[in-house]
Amino acid sequence: QVQVVESGGGLVLPGGSLTLSCTVSASIYDVYFMGWYRQAPGKQRELVAGINSAMTTNYEDFVKGRFTISRDNAKRAVYLQMNSLEPDDTAVYYCNGRKAFRPEFFAAWGQGTQVTVSS
């Protein structure tokens, strides 16, 4: 099964920045949609940002203007640049994706990377 490994999380002050990385064990050239998701304690996992194979991006309202998603198919990697971090951004962040016309995620969920925003 395809594996993903997320990294780059940490403890940051409000207003700070972090860049998350996701590396995939298989090619992502044919993965139509790659996304970053997050799960805060006691809450369900939610989509944060996505990018398709045409490099079109979309963001949930709560991160618009602050986060930037990108992908490098040659490196089998997806990134999330996070600026102006807020305490409500505290969560475990995961990446995954879907191939075209397939409802299921193409990879097993990784361990995620913890992001904690606190003073």
Side-chain angles (χ1 to χ4, degrees):
Q1 193 171 14
V2 178
Q3 306 290 324
V4 298
V5 177
E6 301 94 347
S7 62
L11 173 63
V12 63
L13 293 171
S17 298
L18 284 172
T19 300
L20 306 184
S21 299
C22 167
T23 56
V24 185
S25 64
S27 172
I28 61 171
Y29 279 100
D30 62 341
V31 180
Y32 176 72
F33 175 86
M34 288 296 302
W36 279 97
Y37 301 78
R38 71 186 186 187
Q39 186 167 20
K43 295 186 177 181
Q44 290 191 333
R45 187 176 293 162
E46 61 183 357
L47 177 66
V48 174
I51 183 168
N52 66 19
S53 53
M55 302 301 178
T56 301
T57 58
N58 65 278
Y59 301 91
E60 294 302 306
D61 287 345
F62 50 79
V63 303
K64 274 183 182 176
R66 300 189 298 123
F67 290 12
T68 303
I69 188 171
S70 61
R71 65 191 282 176
D72 187 332
N73 292 337
K75 295 183 177 180
R76 298 180 296 177
V78 185
Y79 308 99
L80 187 67
Q81 173 67 45
M82 306 188 296
N83 299 323
S84 302
L85 283 161
E86 304 168 353
D88 283 350
D89 295 319
T90 295
V92 179
Y93 284 71
Y94 304 87
C95 74
N96 213 321
R98 290 187 171 94
K99 296 186 177 182
F101 312 112
R102 302 293 293 271
E104 72 277 9
F105 290 102
F106 85 108
W109 289 99
Q111 294 294 312
T113 186
Q114 175 71 50
V115 172
T116 303
V117 185
S118 175
S119 55

